């Protein structure tokens, strides 16, 4: 290499030396940087963990302050719905409060302004179940505000929904629901486990059940007429709150409480009778088109060994006699089938006959055939009534002669009239008695048709729903006591009633001679011929069309039976022959006739003595 110059080898060597020097200078700096970065990461993670711990401590402290020992379960609970479906209804449970959030009947629909939707007995917070109790630290707990922890299991065809409000894994309050495959009845138990050191046994827990009943039928006013609280108490007695009033009642030894709508019902039953319960219903204003009534039940519960343990049931479903009666829990009394003999006629006669008919015929035809069966069963009574009226009509001229002959001696006139009746074999009461015998049938069927769930949304001819009115014209205004529509079946029933009364009233007034000092019954009866059909027209315009169909067919059949009897069986000539034959016979007097004659003779003698 020449002096003052660098050759290639020198340059390479100097480059390698510089690179090596640079590497040594950078290595401490990178390690220091990595160490610093690692320290910062650890510090950041520690800060995050500390913040999370502080947050959890704060949250737990807040939950504990709000829920006490039940903060344990609240921290585990999540906001969710638990949906369970069987063959008859679909239920959604809300974890907050552990109660039913939505319950809809799978095969029943209600008509809305736009279309049809499934009938919902519970929806949109219209119902609530709340248990209020006090803990030993004097904290008042209301279960409706507390999240429950849900568990869903299955045992065969039974789905079990457990809702637990937990104080720990082994201490909790549980609502347990058992839903069978094809049952409207839900098993329900309310029990506390391991809470005897938590619950304040010195205070009384209270169970509150509320329900705002939805309107599910076409006529709100008609539906409201049959919406009421019904309850069973004191070993099988049953009673109800007047559906027309806002009312409340406190009763003892209650075994079930029913919030009954017209054709659906919600019932709480208990195996262990509640010592007392306060039930109430509130009517809404007529302008309210969504709800029927607001129902409430407040039930004090009792601790056993410091714990709660109640075995109960819920029924949510149709107010159908055939379904309710099969549970053998006296639930058929929830339906208003009439009291005493009227209810028994429905249960042992009309409902079984109607069940047979509807199993083979459409519902409209079943009503017609039921009417035919009833009219045939009642025809002997109707026959006797008509024969009695015909006899009274035949002897009326003789009665008028006696009235004229003894017009100045009322007592003597009465005596001679009674002798004439006895001799002719005529009983003036025989025409009225059959009418009274028909009244139980009339009233029983009047109660049967509004309670017949099977008629719901069943159509016949122009009626689209035999459980409601059959509107053929919608009026642009409302007529007081009539409504804003025109129903055809009530018009037909009123016309048939008019014809029937026209046929019978003439005979009845003919056999009732006017009495001095008494109102003229013939004039009253003639007025009633026109008033009764008009009253029926107004009364039945909003009633079930099935009931109007029954009365229409019943009156038509009655008119036909009377025409046949009058035209071909009991003619005036035959009646006269019977009366003349009776006059030739020596007829023994009944004890009633003997007693009446003695009373008249005594009255006549007293009258003579006074003169």
């Amino acid at each position: 290499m020449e002096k003052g110059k660098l050759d290639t080898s020198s340059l390479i060597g100097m480059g390698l030396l510089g690179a090596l020097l640079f590497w040594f200078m950078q290595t401490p700096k990178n390690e220091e940087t990595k160490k610093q970065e690692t320290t910062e990461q650890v510090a950041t993670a520690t800060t995050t963990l500390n913040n999370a711990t502080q947050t959890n401590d704060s949250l737990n402290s807040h939950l504990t302050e709000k829920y006490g020992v039940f903060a344990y379960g609240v921290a585990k609970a999540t906001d969710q719905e638990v949906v369970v479906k069987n063959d008859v209804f679909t239920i959604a449970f809300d974890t907050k409060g552990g109660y039913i959030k939505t319950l809809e009947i799978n095969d029943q629909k209600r008509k809305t302004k736009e279309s049809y939707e499934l009938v919902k007995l519970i929806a949109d917070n219209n119902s609530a179940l709340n248990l209020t109790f006090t803990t030993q630290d004097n904290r008042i707990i209301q279960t409706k505000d507390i999240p429950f922890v849900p568990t869903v299991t299955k045992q065969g065809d039974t789905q079990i929904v457990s809702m637990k409000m937990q104080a720990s894994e082994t201490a909790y309050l549980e609502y347990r629901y058992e839903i069978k495959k094809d049952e409207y009845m839900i098993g329900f138990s309310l029990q506390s486990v391991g809470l005897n050191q938590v619950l304040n046994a010195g205070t009384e827990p209270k169970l509150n059940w509320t329900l705002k009943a939805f309107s599910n039928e076409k006529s709100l006013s008609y539906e409201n007429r049959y919406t009421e609280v019904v309850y069973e108490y004191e070993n099988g007695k049953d009673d109800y709150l007047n559906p027309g009033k806002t009312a409340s009642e406190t009763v003892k030894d209650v075994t079930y409480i029913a919030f009954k709508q017209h054709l659906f019902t919600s019932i709480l039953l208990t195996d262990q009778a509640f010592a007392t319960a306060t039930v109430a219903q509130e009517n809404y204003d007529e302008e309210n088109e969504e709800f029927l009534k607001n129902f409430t039940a407040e039930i004090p519960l009792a601790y056993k060994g410091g714990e709660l343990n109640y075995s109960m049931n819920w029924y949510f479903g149709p107010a159908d006699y055939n379904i309710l009666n099969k549970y053998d829990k006296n639930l058929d009394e929830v339906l208003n089938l009439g009291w005493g003999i009227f209810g028994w006629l429905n249960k042992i006669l009309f409902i079984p006959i109607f069940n047979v008919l509807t199993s083979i015929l459409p519902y409209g035809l079943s009503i017609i055939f039921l009417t035919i069966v009833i009219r045939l069963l009642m025809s002997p009574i109707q026959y006797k009534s008509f024969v009695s009226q015909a006899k009274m009509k035949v002897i009326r001229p003789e009665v008028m002669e006696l009235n004229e002959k003894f017009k100045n001696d009322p007592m003597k006139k009465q005596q001679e009239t009674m002798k004439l009746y006895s001799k002719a074999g005529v009983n003036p009461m025989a025409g009225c008695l059959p009418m009274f015998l028909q009244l139980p049938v009339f009233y029983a069927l009047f109660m049967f048709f509004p309670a017949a769930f099977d008629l719901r949304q069943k159509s016949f001819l122009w009626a689209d729903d035999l459980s409601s009115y059959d509107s053929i014209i919608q009026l642009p205004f409302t007529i007081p006591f009539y409504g804003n529509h025109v129903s055809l079946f009530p018009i037909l029933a009123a016309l048939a009633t008019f014809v029937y009364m026209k046929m019978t009233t003439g005979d009845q007034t003919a056999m009732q001679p006017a009495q001095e000092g008494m109102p003229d019954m013939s004039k009253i009866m003639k007025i009633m011929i026109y008033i009764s059909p008009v009253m029926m027209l107004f009364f039945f315009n909003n009633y079930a069309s099935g009931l109007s169909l029954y009365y229409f067919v019943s009156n038509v059949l009655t008119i036909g039976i009377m025409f046949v009897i009058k035209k071909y069986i009991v003619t005036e000539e035959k009646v006269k022959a019977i009366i003349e034959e009776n006059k030739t016979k020596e007829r023994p007097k009944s004890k009633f006739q003997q007693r009446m004659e003695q009373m008249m003779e005594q009255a006549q003698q007293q009258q003579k003595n006074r003169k």
Side-chain angles (χ1 to χ4, degrees):
M1 169 181 77
E2 296 181 5
K3 188 178 178 179
K5 292 185 178 180
L6 294 177
D7 57 10
T8 304
S9 298
S10 299
L11 291 172
I12 293 171
M14 292 178 66
L16 290 173
L17 183 63
L20 186 63
L21 181 62
F22 179 79
W23 181 78
F24 276 113
M25 292 177 66
Q26 289 296 325
T27 298
K29 183 179 180 182
N30 289 340
E31 290 179 354
E32 184 179 350
T33 301
K34 289 180 179 179
K35 184 177 180 181
Q36 182 178 354
E37 288 176 353
T38 301
T39 304
E40 290 177 354
Q41 289 175 357
V42 171
T44 302
T46 303
T47 302
T48 302
L49 181 62
N50 290 336
N51 289 340
T53 302
Q54 291 174 5
T55 300
N56 287 335
D57 290 343
S58 176
L59 178 61
N60 290 334
S61 176
H62 173 71
L63 291 177
T64 302
E65 181 180 351
K66 186 175 182 180
Y67 300 110
V69 296
F70 295 104
Y72 173 86
V74 174
K76 293 176 59 179
T78 57
D79 186 14
Q80 61 176 308
E81 283 187 357
V82 177
V83 179
V84 176
K85 183 176 182 179
N86 67 1
D87 292 344
V88 295
F89 51 47
T90 302
I91 308 176
F93 294 91
D94 194 345
T95 53
K96 185 176 182 180
Y99 181 58
I100 300 170
K101 184 176 183 179
T102 304
L103 189 148
E104 59 184 20
I105 310 299
N106 292 340
D107 61 347
Q108 295 295 325
K109 295 183 178 181
R110 64 185 291 267
K111 189 174 183 180
T112 64
K113 293 181 179 179
E114 294 80 20
S115 60
Y116 283 88
E117 65 179 17
L118 290 177
V119 168
K120 294 181 180 179
L121 300 186
I122 301 177
D124 302 328
N125 297 316
N126 75 314
S127 183
L129 182 73
N130 181 46
L131 176 64
T132 304
F133 60 89
T134 306
T135 59
Q136 291 190 3
D137 59 353
N138 292 321
R139 185 186 302 273
I140 297 176
I141 301 295
Q142 299 201 48
T143 59
K144 66 181 179 66
D145 299 325
I146 298 181
F148 283 57
V149 178
T151 305
V152 181
T153 57
K154 195 171 184 180
Q155 294 181 0
D157 291 334
T158 301
Q159 300 177 76
I160 299 173
V161 178
S162 171
M163 292 284 181
K164 291 182 178 179
M165 191 176 77
Q166 293 181 313
S168 69
E169 284 297 321
T170 58
Y172 52 83
L173 174 74
E174 181 185 32
Y175 293 165
R176 180 182 174 90
Y177 304 87
E178 297 183 4
I179 299 112
K180 295 182 179 180
K181 180 180 179 182
D182 57 354
E183 290 283 345
Y184 291 101
M185 189 75 75
I186 303 172
F188 176 65
S189 62
L190 185 160
Q191 63 174 342
S192 64
V193 176
L195 295 181
N196 55 337
Q197 299 299 318
V198 175
L199 302 174
N200 185 347
T203 60
E204 187 177 61
K206 289 185 178 180
L207 187 67
N208 288 271
W209 176 35
T210 62
L211 175 73
K212 291 193 291 185
F214 288 118
S215 173
N216 293 310
E217 312 305 327
K218 185 159 56 173
S219 174
L220 184 68
S221 60
Y222 182 66
E223 187 180 7
N224 222 337
R225 190 174 296 146
Y226 298 98
T227 298
E228 60 198 359
V229 174
V230 184
Y231 51 89
E232 184 185 65
Y233 66 107
E234 294 180 2
N235 298 320
K237 297 179 182 178
D238 58 87
D239 208 342
Y240 63 96
L241 299 182
N242 188 334
K245 297 181 178 179
T246 293
S248 65
E249 190 75 30
T250 299
V251 288
K252 296 180 179 179
D253 298 326
V254 179
T255 44
Y256 73 66
I257 299 169
F259 294 162
K260 179 188 172 295
Q261 298 162 235
H262 178 200
L263 295 175
F264 294 92
T265 186
S266 305
I267 310 173
L268 175 62
L269 306 95
T270 176
D271 295 339
Q272 173 191 345
F274 301 128
T276 62
T278 299
V279 293
Q281 66 187 21
E282 177 188 2
N283 285 329
Y284 287 100
D285 296 334
E286 294 181 359
E287 297 178 358
N288 190 312
E289 297 182 356
E290 183 179 9
F291 296 108
L292 299 167
K293 287 181 174 65
N294 184 22
F295 296 122
T296 59
E298 184 179 276
I299 307 164
L301 302 182
Y303 291 112
K304 287 185 178 180
E307 301 279 6
L308 287 170
N309 191 357
Y310 279 84
S311 178
M312 296 178 275
N313 289 278
W314 292 104
Y315 176 90
F316 295 102
D320 185 344
Y321 175 84
N322 297 312
I323 297 175
L324 294 173
N325 190 49
K326 75 176 184 179
Y327 291 111
D328 196 27
K329 292 180 178 291
N330 206 31
L331 296 183
D332 57 287
E333 295 299 332
V334 170
L335 306 177
N336 188 3
L337 294 172
W339 54 272
I341 187 175
F342 310 114
W344 282 108
L345 278 173
N346 279 322
K347 292 176 183 179
I348 66 177
L349 185 62
F350 299 140
I351 291 177
I353 292 175
F354 195 66
N355 287 341
V356 172
L357 291 172
T358 54
S359 67
I360 56 178
L361 294 171
Y363 286 90
L365 291 179
S366 296
I367 293 174
I368 293 175
F369 273 86
L370 175 66
T371 310
I372 293 173
V373 171
I374 292 170
R375 293 322 306 171
L376 289 176
L377 291 175
M378 301 298 294
S379 57
I381 297 176
Q382 187 177 352
Y383 173 79
K384 289 182 178 294
S385 177
F386 182 77
V387 169
S388 177
Q389 292 176 12
K391 287 180 179 180
M392 292 291 292
K393 185 178 180 181
V394 167
I395 67 169
R396 185 173 186 271
E398 296 180 60
V399 174
M400 296 300 293
E401 288 180 8
L402 292 175
N403 287 342
E404 183 63 27
K405 183 177 180 180
F406 300 105
K407 61 181 180 180
N408 296 324
D409 191 347
M411 190 63 65
K412 183 67 174 175
K413 178 178 66 176
Q414 192 69 22
Q415 283 181 320
E416 294 300 322
T417 302
M418 291 297 294
K419 288 179 181 179
L420 174 62
Y421 288 156
S422 178
K423 191 175 181 181
V426 175
N427 184 354
M429 297 300 296
C432 299
L433 186 60
M435 295 177 63
F436 285 108
L437 292 176
Q438 293 183 69
L439 283 178
V441 175
F442 175 89
Y443 183 75
L445 289 166
F446 179 79
M447 303 304 294
F448 165 74
F449 284 101
F453 179 84
D454 287 343
L455 296 180
R456 185 176 190 271
Q457 295 182 354
K458 301 301 190 301
S459 61
F460 181 68
L461 299 178
W462 56 84
D464 60 353
D465 186 350
L466 287 169
S467 70
S468 189
Y469 59 82
D470 56 309
S471 175
I472 57 169
I473 299 175
Q474 194 69 28
L475 301 176
F477 50 84
T478 299
I479 301 174
F481 306 107
Y482 185 73
N484 60 354
H485 64 273
V486 177
S487 299
L488 183 53
F489 275 130
I491 295 175
L492 296 176
L495 289 174
T497 301
F498 174 78
V499 174
Y500 169 71
M501 294 188 69
K502 195 76 173 175
M503 289 179 65
T504 58
T505 302
D507 294 338
Q508 291 176 357
T509 54
M511 70 181 190
Q512 295 289 343
Q515 302 289 332
E516 292 183 9
M518 299 293 290
D520 190 346
M521 292 302 297
S522 63
K523 292 182 179 179
I524 296 176
M525 293 300 291
K526 287 177 181 178
I527 294 173
M528 291 302 296
I529 291 175
Y530 299 95
I531 292 179
S532 295
V534 173
M535 290 176 61
M536 187 175 191
L537 189 65
F538 273 75
F539 188 76
F540 284 97
N541 191 60
N542 290 292
Y543 262 67
S545 53
L547 182 62
S548 301
L549 172 61
Y550 161 75
Y551 283 126
F552 166 62
V553 176
S554 178
N555 282 329
V556 169
L557 290 173
T558 303
I559 292 168
I561 292 172
M562 286 190 62
F563 177 79
V564 171
I565 293 174
K566 188 175 182 179
K567 188 74 174 176
Y568 302 104
I569 301 176
V570 185
T571 61
E572 189 170 329
E573 290 73 18
K574 290 181 180 180
V575 173
K576 285 181 179 179
I578 294 172
I579 290 176
E580 292 302 323
E581 184 181 354
N582 288 338
K583 288 181 178 180
T584 61
K585 295 178 181 179
E586 193 68 33
R587 300 178 63 86
K589 296 179 181 179
S590 65
K591 291 183 178 180
F592 175 75
Q593 289 175 324
Q594 294 174 7
R595 182 62 179 165
M596 287 296 295
E597 288 185 4
Q598 290 176 2
M599 291 174 63
M600 289 181 184
E601 289 174 359
Q602 291 174 1
Q604 189 176 19
Q605 186 61 42
Q606 290 174 358
Q607 186 178 12
K608 287 181 178 180
N609 292 337
R610 284 196 299 270
K611 289 182 178 179

